């Protein structure tokens, strides 16, 4: 019998994976993971999350439609403010460092706009994952409800790791909601918080060598006594 991972082990093992093998996740396993993710806590137990999981032919059709939107140069129409909007100071610096590490690992020069665009476009190809989920909440809700969405998202990502799966959360997938509404459907009145591509990691993929550091604890925590 394989030993169950501790939460700490899952936290240390999880990282963003952007290269996947094509085989799908067994439906029973996926349902078991999602049942457990339902236990995530939320403000007044409102459970605002809704996850639309897209696989198979619908996933391929959606990839084509989203890539067409991207290539057409259409202006993004996200419902919620994107996470990389309005960044300043240390947060802007961290965003730059994140992109620089990513491009460096992938051998893409900063001046190589086509190379950067090609890498960016992989978002709308779901990084080759066999499944993509769209995490939505009512568009009337705000930042405090988004806490619940984040807790659900991390719970789900850790549960995927516990079961030998990996994922990439994608704010980029909030940019073009129309094809997602048309092909997959999302609940009426909901907006997309982010996407989540998931499946089995391709251990050989260069893109999975991307590793991100974290700030020292003292930059994020203060003790007062
Ligand atoms: C809400 C959220 C949105 C994200 N959006 C994207 C995205 O659109 N594209 C992408 O490649 N990575 C995306 N990421 C992954 C982050 O870049 C990644 O979590 C961060 O660099 C830390 O790396 P790690 O997850 O490997 O520890 C997102 C992560 C989160 C939590």
């Amino acid at each position: 019998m394989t030993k169950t991972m501790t939460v700490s082990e899952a936290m240390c093992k999880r990282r963003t994976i952007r290269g996947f093998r094509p085989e799908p996740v067994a439906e029973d396993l996926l349902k078991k993971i999602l049942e457990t993710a339902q236990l995530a806590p939320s403000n007044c137990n409102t459970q605002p999350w809704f996850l639309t999981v897209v696989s198979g032919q619908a996933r391929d059709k959606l990839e084509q439609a989203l890539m067409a939107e991207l290539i057409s140069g259409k202006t993004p129409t996200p419902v919620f403010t994107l996470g990389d909007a309005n960044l300043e100071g240390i947060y802007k610096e961290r965003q730059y460092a994140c992109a620089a590490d990513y491009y460096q690992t992938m051998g893409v020069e900063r001046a190589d706009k086509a190379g950067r665009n090609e890498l960016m476009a992989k978002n709308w190809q779901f990084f080759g994952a066999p499944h993509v989920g769209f995490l939505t909440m009512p568009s009337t809700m705000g930042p405090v409800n988004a806490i619940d969405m984040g807790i659900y998202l991390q719970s789900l990502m850790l549960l995927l790791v516990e079961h030998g799966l990996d994922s990439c959360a994608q704010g980029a997938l909030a940019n073009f909601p129309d094809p997602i509404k048309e092909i997959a459907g999302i609940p009426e009145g909901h907006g997309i918080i982010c996407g989540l591509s998931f499946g089995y990691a391709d251990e050989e993929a260069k893109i999975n060598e991307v590793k991100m550091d974290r700030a020292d604890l003292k930059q994020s925590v203060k003790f007062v006594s």
Side-chain angles (χ1 to χ4, degrees), residues 176-188:
F176 305 114
D178 292 345
I180 300 163
K181 283 184 192 160
E182 195 185 307
I183 295 168
I186 61 169
E188 193 58 36

Side-chain angles (χ1 to χ4, degrees), residues 28-223:
D28 284 0
L29 175 59
L30 187 52
K31 283 192 177 149
K32 181 177 153 178
I33 290 170
L34 292 170
E35 288 283 356
T36 313
Q38 281 295 102
L39 300 175
S42 56
N43 205 325
C44 301
N45 203 22
T46 47
Q47 306 160 67
W49 53 79
F50 192 91
L51 187 73
T52 302
V53 181
V54 189
S55 315
Q57 286 179 2
R59 175 236 174 270
D60 296 345
K61 195 173 162 192
L62 186 56
E63 174 182 331
Q64 280 174 18
L66 286 170
M67 283 301 290
E69 295 271 287
L70 182 71
I71 290 163
S72 75
K74 203 179 150 190
T75 306
T77 54
V79 169
F80 302 107
T81 308
L82 294 178
D84 59 359
N86 314 319
L87 292 179
E88 290 177 353
I90 184 71
Y91 309 108
K92 190 83 198 155
E93 284 171 29
R94 287 177 187 163
Q95 183 201 23
Y96 275 140
C98 172
D101 284 1
Y102 188 19
Y103 297 137
Q104 194 185 8
T105 306
M106 296 307 288
V108 174
E109 298 286 330
R110 194 165 168 71
D112 177 5
K113 196 157 189 287
R116 284 192 283 131
N117 284 346
E118 201 179 312
L119 210 48
M120 188 64 185
K122 287 181 186 291
N123 272 289
W124 291 278
Q125 296 159 356
F126 319 129
F127 295 106
H131 309 282
V132 58
F134 293 94
L135 193 54
T136 63
M137 73 173 186
S139 50
T140 48
M141 287 185 168
V144 174
N145 312 98
I147 295 173
D148 305 337
M149 305 300 284
I151 294 173
Y152 175 81
L153 177 66
Q154 171 73 331
S155 303
L156 180 53
M157 292 195 293
L158 293 180
L159 286 162
L160 288 167
V161 166
E162 184 195 329
H163 292 280
L165 293 155
D166 282 291
S167 62
C168 179
Q170 293 172 261
L173 291 181
N175 275 305
F176 305 114
D178 292 345
I180 300 163
K181 283 184 192 160
E182 195 185 307
I183 295 168
I186 61 169
E188 193 58 36
H190 273 217
I192 297 169
I193 288 274
C194 69
L196 184 75
S197 294
F198 64 92
Y200 293 96
D202 175 356
E203 306 293 346
E204 309 294 311
K206 174 92 184 147
I207 202 166
N208 289 337
E209 289 173 19
V210 174
K211 287 204 178 79
M212 294 294 155
D213 290 339
R214 291 297 188 272
D216 292 340
L217 196 59
K218 61 178 179 305
Q219 290 187 49
S220 305
V221 181
K222 176 173 116 173
F223 298 97

